[in-house]
Amino acid sequence: MANIAIRMQGVRFRWRPQDPIVLDIPEFQVAKGEKIFIKGPSGSGKTSLLNLLAGVARPEAGDIDISGHRITAFSGRQGDTFRADHIGFIFQMFNLLPYLSMLNNVTLACLFSDVRRQRALGRAPSLDAEASRLLQHLELDVSGLASRPVSLLSMGQQQRVAVARSLIGGPDLVIADEPTSALDADARQSFLDLLFREIAETGSTLLFVSHDAGLADSFDRSLAIADFNMAETER
Amino acid sequence: MAILKLSLMSLLNRKATVVLTIIAIAVSVTLLLGVDKLRDQARTGFANTISGSDMIIGARSGSIQLLLYSVFRIGSATNNITWQSYLDLAADPRVKWSIPLSMGDSHHGFRVLGTTGQYFEHYRYGGKQKLAFAEGKAFDDVFDVVIGADVAKTLGYGIGAAVVVQHGIGAVGFVKHEDKPFRVSGILRRTGTPVDRTVHITLKGIEAMHIDWQTGAMATGRITSADAIRRMDLPTDTITAILVGLKSRTTAFSFQRHVNDYKKEPLLGVLPGLALQELWSLMSTVDKTLGAIAAFVVVSGLLGMTTMILAGLDGRRREMAILRSVGARPVHVFGLLVTEATILTLVGSLGGVALLYLGLFLARPLAAEMLGLNLIIGLPSPRDVGILGLVVGAGFFAGLFPAFKVYRQSLADGMMTRL
Ligand SMILES: Nc1ncnc2c1ncn2[C@@H]1O[C@H](COP(=O)(O)OP(=O)(O)OP(=O)(O)O)[C@@H](O)[C@H]1O
Ligand SMILES: [Mg+2]
């Protein structure tokens, strides 16, 4: 039990009552520290799955446990706090708030979580220092780029800033929703290498979804969403 | 605190629209406060038109009509008071001083007021200020004229200028008394009251300019010479109104009763303060309308702000999704937008205050010179602060609307990052 990061049982989910069921997952488990790749075509429910795991959306039936916490039993407020404390999120693109500096975009993850702020401060004298350390590890030239508006960063640079944000304060689970789809092949591979290196350092579990099966090889385990989702999806 | 910082950063990132919105709010707040200040100062200026007189007496008519023609020099009396009544009332033991006023003539559109030297002694305006001479002095001769500051400025008269008085009121009189050598002997300092627009002459002067017209000499061409007039004993028959100062204020009501019950002719005595209040209440509709218009301008400024925030929301769905992903609760997102609206109105209101003071400082010399209005520039009054508080409160409420929309949107979207 202690080494299970994600467990879903009998989960059924749809966005609105009038919509068809998007996810019907009898059983799904991810071990702690595992790097798992989930592929599936567009509209197959990948993003919906991640919304459930992040506690932003709720299933109409079934249970979801993350790091031993039953998030489906949480109140909305508890769910938001849990997400802030335990989950790092990387979106497909445009991960950054245009009005914050590069460093502030990274430390944003500590704004709503004392747990992650304390953990980040355990590693560096200040949040900014920890953010710079992470960004440097991700091979970003902090001193050269920090003063620039984040909207002027390249797509690859922006995604690496997003990785730093998802990892600051060492969350249990990092969820990435097609973070490489806006990158070219070279950038994609180096992005993955850097992500894996940092994940290894924090020991977080990584759930990575994409429709690009070509990336699957680098992961511990690779699944198609259809393998565990019984719902009939359009296409 | 975190939300306040985020909303500030977010606003700074949208400078152009934010600055325009703030300007719109600032201008509307300036208007609101400015109109309120003007109303206030007009009200005091109005009350300051006459002071120090305890009673105004005229032939029986309405009290407002009496106030209008005797103090504001608007309209005319329907009836006169006989000189004998004036002498009777002036001799009353309760009366300290009295100023006879005789009206009915004009000079280039300015009212001509026949009176005595008492006028310059006892007439008071504002906070009991006495009339002061900018140049020259009061009456010495039958043909001496003392003019108000506006008269001097508009007509370009200096000391010694010849004044041709017209009989009747209006720019075009019936008969011009061109034969009588009226001369400017004094120019009064500006008062900001109707005195500035008045041509003062002696009561005997009034009689003098009518003498030939009364005897029909105008028609025959046999005009009485100025020196002959100076030698003549020209008794005043009637006057239009009397300003009275009492020895003791406590006798005001008994003296008023005495005037109103005067046997020999129907008279009316009014207390200037009460009559002014009555007149002001007549004007309060205009006053309220102005205030309402200013309030509506503020409402439209706030609507503009709400529109601005609403229009930007679709472009900010991603921002909301990112905030949610790092653990922001829906109430945080809600608070972010309400805070934005409140900051915008707060900064706009402060800008409005700054603009108002700038305007007041720029307008002060102009208002003093052109209108005789002495703008008082002081710290914002508690009333101003109250108005500002209301505006910011309204801004807060205006922000609830887009905030609620975002709140619902972010619940429905989850962390779907739409473009
Ligand atoms: N916020 C939402 N509200 C309502 N319906 C939604 C929402 N998000 C997704 N859906 C619906 O859920 C279904 C699954 O969509 P989802 O986004 O999970 O697919 P996906 O696998 O992530 O696709 P893609 O690869 O294109 O991102 C689709 O039919 C979609 O229309
Ligand atoms: Mg998706």
Side-chain angles (χ1 to χ4, degrees), chain B residues 335-346:
Chain B
L336 186 72
L337 290 202
V338 175
T339 309
E340 267 180 27
T342 311
I343 290 177
L344 284 174
T345 7
L346 192 68

PDB file of all heavy atoms in Angstrom, chain B residues 335-346:
ATOM      1  N   GLY B 335     -11.657  36.069  -5.971  1.00  0.00           N
ATOM      2  CA  GLY B 335     -11.054  37.194  -5.257  1.00  0.00           C
ATOM      3  C   GLY B 335     -10.124  38.000  -6.139  1.00  0.00           C
ATOM      4  O   GLY B 335     -10.049  39.222  -6.030  1.00  0.00           O
ATOM      5  N   LEU B 336      -9.440  37.309  -7.038  1.00  0.00           N
ATOM      6  CA  LEU B 336      -8.509  37.977  -7.943  1.00  0.00           C
ATOM      7  C   LEU B 336      -9.240  39.055  -8.744  1.00  0.00           C
ATOM      8  O   LEU B 336      -8.787  40.197  -8.848  1.00  0.00           O
ATOM      9  CB  LEU B 336      -7.905  36.935  -8.884  1.00  0.00           C
ATOM     10  CG  LEU B 336      -6.799  37.392  -9.812  1.00  0.00           C
ATOM     11  CD1 LEU B 336      -5.528  37.627  -9.037  1.00  0.00           C
ATOM     12  CD2 LEU B 336      -6.552  36.367 -10.900  1.00  0.00           C
ATOM     13  N   LEU B 337     -10.388  38.696  -9.276  1.00  0.00           N
ATOM     14  CA  LEU B 337     -11.114  39.644 -10.133  1.00  0.00           C
ATOM     15  C   LEU B 337     -11.770  40.756  -9.320  1.00  0.00           C
ATOM     16  O   LEU B 337     -11.770  41.916  -9.736  1.00  0.00           O
ATOM     17  CB  LEU B 337     -12.168  38.904 -10.957  1.00  0.00           C
ATOM     18  CG  LEU B 337     -11.593  38.014 -12.048  1.00  0.00           C
ATOM     19  CD1 LEU B 337     -12.622  37.759 -13.121  1.00  0.00           C
ATOM     20  CD2 LEU B 337     -10.348  38.599 -12.665  1.00  0.00           C
ATOM     21  N   VAL B 338     -12.309  40.407  -8.161  1.00  0.00           N
ATOM     22  CA  VAL B 338     -12.902  41.451  -7.319  1.00  0.00           C
ATOM     23  C   VAL B 338     -11.818  42.437  -6.888  1.00  0.00           C
ATOM     24  O   VAL B 338     -12.021  43.652  -6.883  1.00  0.00           O
ATOM     25  CB  VAL B 338     -13.591  40.833  -6.087  1.00  0.00           C
ATOM     26  CG1 VAL B 338     -14.084  41.919  -5.160  1.00  0.00           C
ATOM     27  CG2 VAL B 338     -14.748  39.966  -6.527  1.00  0.00           C
ATOM     28  N   THR B 339     -10.640  41.886  -6.558  1.00  0.00           N
ATOM     29  CA  THR B 339      -9.532  42.751  -6.161  1.00  0.00           C
ATOM     30  C   THR B 339      -9.148  43.680  -7.303  1.00  0.00           C
ATOM     31  O   THR B 339      -8.919  44.871  -7.095  1.00  0.00           O
ATOM     32  CB  THR B 339      -8.317  41.899  -5.752  1.00  0.00           C
ATOM     33  OG1 THR B 339      -8.739  40.929  -4.823  1.00  0.00           O
ATOM     34  CG2 THR B 339      -7.236  42.766  -5.132  1.00  0.00           C
ATOM     35  N   GLU B 340      -9.088  43.122  -8.506  1.00  0.00           N
ATOM     36  CA  GLU B 340      -8.756  43.951  -9.671  1.00  0.00           C
ATOM     37  C   GLU B 340      -9.717  45.119  -9.803  1.00  0.00           C
ATOM     38  O   GLU B 340      -9.310  46.269  -9.958  1.00  0.00           O
ATOM     39  CB  GLU B 340      -8.827  43.112 -10.952  1.00  0.00           C
ATOM     40  CG  GLU B 340      -7.499  42.523 -11.310  1.00  0.00           C
ATOM     41  CD  GLU B 340      -7.571  41.704 -12.577  1.00  0.00           C
ATOM     42  OE1 GLU B 340      -8.448  41.983 -13.432  1.00  0.00           O
ATOM     43  OE2 GLU B 340      -6.757  40.796 -12.706  1.00  0.00           O
ATOM     44  N   ALA B 341     -11.020  44.813  -9.735  1.00  0.00           N
ATOM     45  CA  ALA B 341     -12.029  45.865  -9.889  1.00  0.00           C
ATOM     46  C   ALA B 341     -11.869  46.905  -8.787  1.00  0.00           C
ATOM     47  O   ALA B 341     -11.956  48.116  -9.033  1.00  0.00           O
ATOM     48  CB  ALA B 341     -13.428  45.253  -9.851  1.00  0.00           C
ATOM     49  N   THR B 342     -11.600  46.428  -7.564  1.00  0.00           N
ATOM     50  CA  THR B 342     -11.485  47.361  -6.448  1.00  0.00           C
ATOM     51  C   THR B 342     -10.248  48.238  -6.606  1.00  0.00           C
ATOM     52  O   THR B 342     -10.303  49.447  -6.376  1.00  0.00           O
ATOM     53  CB  THR B 342     -11.439  46.583  -5.119  1.00  0.00           C
ATOM     54  OG1 THR B 342     -12.507  45.641  -5.113  1.00  0.00           O
ATOM     55  CG2 THR B 342     -11.576  47.515  -3.940  1.00  0.00           C
ATOM     56  N   ILE B 343      -9.142  47.626  -7.036  1.00  0.00           N
ATOM     57  CA  ILE B 343      -7.923  48.416  -7.253  1.00  0.00           C
ATOM     58  C   ILE B 343      -8.175  49.478  -8.326  1.00  0.00           C
ATOM     59  O   ILE B 343      -7.815  50.649  -8.159  1.00  0.00           O
ATOM     60  CB  ILE B 343      -6.752  47.508  -7.685  1.00  0.00           C
ATOM     61  CG1 ILE B 343      -6.308  46.629  -6.521  1.00  0.00           C
ATOM     62  CG2 ILE B 343      -5.567  48.357  -8.172  1.00  0.00           C
ATOM     63  CD1 ILE B 343      -5.214  45.651  -6.879  1.00  0.00           C
ATOM     64  N   LEU B 344      -8.817  49.062  -9.413  1.00  0.00           N
ATOM     65  CA  LEU B 344      -9.085  50.008 -10.499  1.00  0.00           C
ATOM     66  C   LEU B 344      -9.903  51.199 -10.000  1.00  0.00           C
ATOM     67  O   LEU B 344      -9.576  52.354 -10.279  1.00  0.00           O
ATOM     68  CB  LEU B 344      -9.831  49.315 -11.643  1.00  0.00           C
ATOM     69  CG  LEU B 344      -8.999  48.399 -12.540  1.00  0.00           C
ATOM     70  CD1 LEU B 344      -9.897  47.662 -13.525  1.00  0.00           C
ATOM     71  CD2 LEU B 344      -7.947  49.200 -13.299  1.00  0.00           C
ATOM     72  N   THR B 345     -10.971  50.917  -9.249  1.00  0.00           N
ATOM     73  CA  THR B 345     -11.803  52.034  -8.774  1.00  0.00           C
ATOM     74  C   THR B 345     -11.069  52.875  -7.744  1.00  0.00           C
ATOM     75  O   THR B 345     -11.208  54.092  -7.728  1.00  0.00           O
ATOM     76  CB  THR B 345     -13.124  51.569  -8.126  1.00  0.00           C
ATOM     77  OG1 THR B 345     -13.104  50.167  -8.018  1.00  0.00           O
ATOM     78  CG2 THR B 345     -14.291  51.989  -8.931  1.00  0.00           C
ATOM     79  N   LEU B 346     -10.283  52.196  -6.908  1.00  0.00           N
ATOM     80  CA  LEU B 346      -9.555  52.936  -5.872  1.00  0.00           C
ATOM     81  C   LEU B 346      -8.558  53.889  -6.524  1.00  0.00           C
ATOM     82  O   LEU B 346      -8.537  55.093  -6.220  1.00  0.00           O
ATOM     83  CB  LEU B 346      -8.831  51.955  -4.957  1.00  0.00           C
ATOM     84  CG  LEU B 346      -8.275  52.545  -3.668  1.00  0.00           C
ATOM     85  CD1 LEU B 346      -9.416  52.962  -2.761  1.00  0.00           C
ATOM     86  CD2 LEU B 346      -7.397  51.525  -2.947  1.00  0.00           C
TER      87      LEU B 346
END
